[in-house]
């Protein structure tokens, strides 16, 4: 599908994901050449993300992770401890 119509899908995704950036025609031709030579490997990553178990994992990984942190500050001869996440 991605190679259909001279990689039109890739060009559309590029425009959608990088609005305001227009690659020069020589660069775009070189990109197409490399994609054609290595297909389907560049697309396997994205196809794998659509498999049933990967969607939930992707959503979980896109959420911030709360990690407790301790920092020690020595000031006025006192040791203060700050613990975040608690």
């Amino acid at each position: 599908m991605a190679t259909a119509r001279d990689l039109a899908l890739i060009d559309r995704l590029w425009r959608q994901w990088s609005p305001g950036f227009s690659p020069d025609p020589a660069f775009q031709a070189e990109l197409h050449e490399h994609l054609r030579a290595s297909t389907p490997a560049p697309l396997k990553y994205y196809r794998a993300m659509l498999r049933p178990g990967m969607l939930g994992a992707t959503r979980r990984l896109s959420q911030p992770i709360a990690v407790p942190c301790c920092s020690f500050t020595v000031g006025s001869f006192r040791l203060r401890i700050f613990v975040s996440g608690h």
Side-chain angles (χ1 to χ4, degrees):
M1 180 169 167
T3 54
R5 295 186 305 149
D6 197 31
L7 297 165
L9 173 64
I10 301 300
D11 293 337
R12 183 177 62 80
L13 290 174
W14 191 299
R15 285 189 304 274
Q16 183 178 349
W17 293 345
S18 302
F21 177 75
S22 298
D24 103 354
F27 173 80
Q28 192 169 11
E30 185 178 353
L31 173 67
H32 285 191
E33 180 182 332
H34 288 290
L35 286 172
R36 278 191 212 95
S38 59
T39 298
L43 303 174
K44 285 184 177 183
Y45 169 83
Y46 296 99
R47 286 182 182 148
M49 298 304 287
L50 297 175
R51 290 189 179 139
M54 288 304 296
L55 291 175
T58 302
R59 283 190 201 103
R60 286 190 302 277
L61 290 172
S62 67
Q63 300 299 314
I65 300 171
V67 178
C69 176
C70 288
S71 64
F72 302 94
T73 303
V74 178
S76 301
F77 301 106
R78 290 176 24 186
L79 181 64
R80 294 180 288 167
I81 301 174
F82 171 74
V83 180
S84 67
H86 293 284

